[in-house]
């Protein structure tokens, strides 16, 4: 029986696991119920399991029956602080939390891959590390797991690392996409506080109003980005939070805003870290005000090793058919802490379309939306693809 055929047999179990995870989403680095469900699903498999010390991670190592290298497969497990409005009958029962980014599918798919590979353990030419990771959504769980030794779990250097990420829109259901080089953007956060002098709204000349200063900074950032960065190496700065004052007739002392900053190359990333705070401070100074600019570096650019991306894409085409996998022309706009894994070992991240049947991929709600819906039918495809990548990559390493 082929891997894809056996994965199809596992589909009902994977659906049950995924929906159980979806009903009880957990946030951040501590996911006790999620961890328990993963451990239950892995029970009985010939795995060496290590639990995280400071986070609810699960690292499981499968020892192949034949000598060889090691490959890592990663699935993230955490949810988002989003109130679900998907309308599905297995919707979140946890107020203010939702698996709006599909990590429940990633977790179930990785369990499926572990099951498939455990059944073929005797023929494996090396070891497989299964990385069940909390805290991808802004908590940098990948770095925490790296610090606790996930990359050394096999006791030998990793040959490659792979991860999948489902997409709720734009990519048709079941279709796989990846690319060499940059595959997702870097993500940082800029927090700005403009300090002026409060006063009466009827007499702004007697105060130093921070609101128009902050507004000018917001506008200037957009102009600066378009004039100082190459359009073929884009930068995106979006202000998502702006707060000032309490009353219509009171000039506040401070105005604050927060922005997400995305970039697609290390060069652009470095220029942003230095240039944005300087721009903020100088515009404030021009108005006689002061500004604090806190630039928090979050996730770097996720970079696929070209050879590994080509190998992964070729594997997907062979598994699902040439029309079901393609090389993406552009990086995805989201960001990923799998980038930290790929800084240590060559590998690739792939996107898998999970748009439900009968829904237009171009207009479907996107990842992170309260209405986002992901199609369970991709679960067995994820499991089969991850397992095939590991099996074939180990065989390649052993033949080298």
């Amino acid at each position: 029986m082929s891997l894809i055929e056996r994965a199809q047999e596992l589909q009902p179990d994977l659906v049950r696991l995924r929906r159980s995870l979806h009903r009880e989403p957990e946030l951040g680095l501590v996911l006790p119920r999620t961890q328990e469900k993963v451990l239950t699903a892995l029970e009985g498999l010939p795995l060496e399991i290590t639990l995280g010390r400071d986070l609810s991670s699960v690292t499981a190592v499968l020892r192949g029956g034949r000598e060889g290298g090691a490959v890592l497969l990663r699935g993230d497990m955490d949810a988002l602080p989003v109130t679900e409005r998907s309308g599905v009958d297995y919707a979140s029962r946890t107020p203010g939390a939702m698996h709006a980014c599909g990590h429940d599918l990633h977790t179930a798919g990785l369990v499926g891959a572990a099951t498939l590979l455990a059944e073929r353990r005797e023929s494996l030419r090396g070891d497989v590390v299964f990385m069940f990771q909390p805290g991808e959504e802004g908590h940098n769980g990948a770095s925490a797991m790296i610090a606790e030794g996930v990359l050394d779990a096999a006791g030998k250097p990793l040959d490659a690392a792979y991860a999948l990420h489902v997409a709720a829109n734009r990519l048709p259901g079941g279709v796989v996409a990846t690319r060499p080089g940059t595959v997702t953007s870097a993500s940082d956060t800029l927090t700005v506080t403009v300090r002026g002098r409060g006063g009466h709204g009827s007499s702004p000349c007697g105060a130093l109003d921070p609101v128009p200063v902050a507004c000018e900074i917001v506008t200037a950032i957009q102009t600066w980005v378009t004039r100082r960065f190459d359009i073929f190496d884009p930068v995106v700065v979006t202000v998502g939070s702006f707060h000032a004052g309490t009353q219509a007739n009171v000039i506040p002392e401070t105005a604050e805003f927060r922005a997400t900053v995305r970039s697609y190359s290390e060069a652009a990333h470095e220029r942003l870290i230095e240039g944005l705070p300087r721009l903020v401070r100088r515009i404030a100074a021009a108005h006689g005000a002061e500004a604090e600019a806190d630039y928090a570096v979050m996730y770097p650019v996720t970079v696929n090793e070209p050879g590994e991306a080509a190998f992964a894409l070729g594997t997907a085409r062979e598994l699902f058919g040439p029309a079901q996998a393609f090389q993406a022309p552009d990086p995805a706009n989201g960001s990923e802490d799998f980038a930290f894994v790929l800084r240590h070992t060559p590998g690739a991240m792939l996107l898998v379309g999970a748009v439900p049947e009968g829904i237009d991929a171009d207009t479907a709600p996107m990842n992170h939306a309260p209405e986002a819906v992901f199609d369970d039918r991709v679960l067995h495809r994820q499991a089969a693809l991850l397992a095939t990548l590991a099996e074939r990559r180990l065989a390649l390493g052993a033949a080298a």
Side-chain angles (χ1 to χ4, degrees):
M1 184 182 294
S2 70
L3 269 171
I4 189 70
E5 290 170 335
R6 177 62 181 130
Q8 288 171 332
E9 290 187 346
L10 294 177
Q11 175 73 3
D13 292 336
L14 301 182
V15 170
R16 279 191 290 272
L17 175 59
R18 183 258 161 157
R19 294 189 177 191
S20 175
L21 293 166
H22 194 90
R23 290 187 189 98
E24 290 190 276
E26 295 178 292
L27 308 177
L29 296 169
V30 181
L31 321 174
R33 294 188 300 277
T34 301
Q35 184 187 60
E36 182 181 359
K37 290 175 183 179
V38 168
L39 292 173
T40 299
L42 297 176
E43 206 167 76
L45 299 181
L47 300 168
E48 300 170 8
I49 292 178
T50 304
L51 305 185
R53 297 186 300 273
D54 297 325
L55 69 168
S56 301
S57 60
V58 177
T59 300
V61 180
L62 177 67
R63 300 294 181 185
R66 304 169 71 182
E67 287 296 319
V71 167
L72 181 144
L73 304 176
R74 180 269 221 166
D76 40 6
M77 305 189 294
D78 57 321
L80 283 158
V82 172
T83 298
E84 183 160 1
R85 295 199 301 268
S86 68
V88 298
D89 58 8
Y90 51 89
S92 170
R93 296 173 182 172
T94 304
M98 176 191 176
H99 270 293
C101 203
H103 295 185
D104 48 341
L105 282 86
H106 302 167
T107 303
L110 189 57
V111 166
T115 305
L116 292 171
L117 289 169
E119 293 173 351
R120 303 162 76 95
R121 182 174 68 89
E122 293 305 321
S123 64
L124 280 181
R125 303 289 298 270
D127 306 331
V128 183
V129 179
F130 302 94
M131 179 182 177
F132 292 91
Q133 180 210 309
E136 189 278 331
E137 296 290 354
H139 298 273
N140 199 359
S143 288
M145 287 193 72
I146 291 169
E148 292 195 355
V150 68
L151 302 184
D152 303 312
K156 63 183 77 170
L158 293 170
D159 296 325
Y162 304 103
L164 306 180
H165 203 301
V166 292
N169 72 338
R170 299 184 67 181
L171 199 60
V175 172
V176 177
T178 193
R179 68 191 308 275
T182 299
V183 68
T184 71
S185 69
S187 174
D188 302 325
T189 300
L190 174 69
T191 302
V192 172
T193 302
V194 178
R195 301 190 183 281
R197 187 172 62 255
H200 200 289
S202 66
S203 305
C205 61
L208 180 53
D209 193 346
V211 175
V213 179
C215 290
E216 184 172 327
I217 292 171
V218 170
T219 303
I221 286 172
Q222 303 307 318
T223 303
W224 182 73
V225 163
T226 62
R227 291 298 179 268
R228 299 298 297 273
F229 290 86
D230 192 326
I231 60 171
F232 298 108
D233 185 12
V235 166
V236 176
V237 182
T238 298
V239 175
S241 172
F242 192 113
H243 297 281
T246 56
Q247 285 284 119
N249 63 345
V250 176
I251 294 173
E253 291 187 346
T254 62
E256 300 176 349
F257 68 84
R258 299 185 74 219
T260 185
V261 185
R262 308 292 170 127
S263 53
Y264 297 85
S265 71
E266 291 294 341
H269 191 215
E270 291 301 318
R271 289 178 61 200
L272 285 164
I273 293 170
E274 187 273 333
L276 268 178
R278 181 182 60 199
L279 177 72
V280 167
R281 290 191 294 266
R282 289 183 176 179
I283 291 176
H287 289 271
E290 295 181 353
E292 298 172 6
D294 177 20
Y295 192 101
V297 176
M298 304 290 287
Y299 294 168
V301 176
T302 305
V303 181
N304 283 349
E305 198 280 323
E308 296 295 345
F311 164 73
L313 188 58
T315 300
R317 284 171 174 157
E318 288 183 36
L319 202 58
F320 305 130
Q324 294 295 298
F326 70 96
Q327 180 169 310
D330 302 304
N333 291 338
S335 301
E336 255 292 342
D337 67 354
F338 189 62
F340 292 107
V341 174
L342 295 182
R343 284 188 162 189
H344 292 275
T345 187
M349 166 162 274
L350 300 89
L351 300 178
V352 180
V355 179
E357 190 174 24
I359 295 179
D360 184 352
D362 290 331
T363 59
M366 66 175 60
N367 290 34
H368 290 214
E371 300 84 8
V373 178
F374 301 87
D375 197 335
D376 284 332
R377 291 178 306 164
V378 304
L379 286 169
H380 76 278
R381 293 169 75 94
Q382 292 180 87
L385 179 53
L386 285 170
T388 304
L389 286 170
E391 186 177 58
R392 292 188 179 182
R393 186 62 179 81
L394 288 174
L396 279 175

